[in-house]
């Protein structure tokens, strides 16, 4: 028995037993169509995995760029090429907030 035949048989049995009669009569064609549509769990999991990987990569790149900018600005401050205030402007924060950022990230190693 094909999938379509099995779905139709199930609908007929529900109708015969007076189960969801109104709904099944009104939506039979749509129900059969949706039931026949094959759900490929493996394919869906792969798509989800790919989307999550891309999201993670995007966030990782953003974080890496932020750390790289932070590191560069910190080095420019240390070498006297820009002020703390100028560096803070790039992060849209006050000098004191940027100073705290530097202090919190001093353990970060960049090669």
């Amino acid at each position: 028995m094909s999938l379509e035949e099995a779905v139709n048989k199930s609908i007929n049995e529900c109708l015969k037993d007076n189960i969801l009669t109104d709904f099944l009569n009104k939506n039979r064609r749509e129900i059969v169509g949706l039931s026949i549509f094959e759900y490929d769990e493996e394919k869906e999991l792969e798509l989800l995995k790919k989307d999550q990987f891309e999201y993670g990569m995007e966030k990782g790149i953003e974080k890496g760029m932020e750390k790289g900018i932070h590191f560069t600005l910190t080095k420019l401050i240390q070498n006297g090429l820009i002020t703390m205030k100028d560096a803070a402007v790039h992060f849209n924060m006050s000098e004191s907030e940027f100073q705290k950022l530097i202090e919190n990230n001093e353990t970060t190693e960049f090669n």
Side-chain angles (χ1 to χ4, degrees):
M1 176 181 306
S2 73
L3 180 58
E4 184 174 1
E5 290 170 335
V7 170
N8 276 310
K9 182 178 179 184
S10 296
I11 291 172
N12 289 334
E13 287 179 15
C14 287
L15 290 171
K16 185 179 86 177
D17 293 338
N18 207 22
I19 300 170
L20 297 171
T21 306
D22 290 339
F23 178 77
L24 292 173
N25 280 327
K26 287 180 186 175
N27 302 297
R28 183 184 194 107
R29 177 178 277 161
E30 192 175 353
I31 294 167
V32 172
L34 288 173
S35 298
I36 293 172
F37 173 74
E38 290 185 39
Y39 174 73
D40 187 341
E41 182 179 7
E42 191 173 307
K43 183 178 178 182
E44 288 298 318
L45 289 174
E46 283 300 315
L47 289 172
L48 182 60
K49 190 170 152 183
K50 180 183 175 193
D51 286 346
Q52 291 300 313
F53 176 80
E54 289 173 2
Y55 176 79
M57 287 296 291
E58 183 179 309
K59 290 297 177 187
I61 289 169
E62 287 174 12
K63 185 76 170 174
M65 289 177 68
E66 184 178 313
K67 283 188 171 209
I69 291 168
H70 171 262
F71 176 77
T72 301
L73 291 173
T74 302
K75 288 297 181 186
L76 290 172
I77 293 167
Q78 289 171 350
N79 292 325
L81 298 172
I82 64 170
T83 65
M84 181 76 69
K85 182 178 181 179
D86 291 335
V89 168
H90 290 284
F91 278 88
N92 295 319
M93 56 179 63
S94 69
E95 285 182 65
S96 61
E97 290 172 323
F98 189 76
Q99 180 64 41
K100 287 178 186 173
L101 181 66
I102 289 173
E103 290 168 2
N104 289 337
N105 290 309
E106 282 182 345
T107 58
T108 304
E109 299 277 333
F110 289 94
N111 293 325

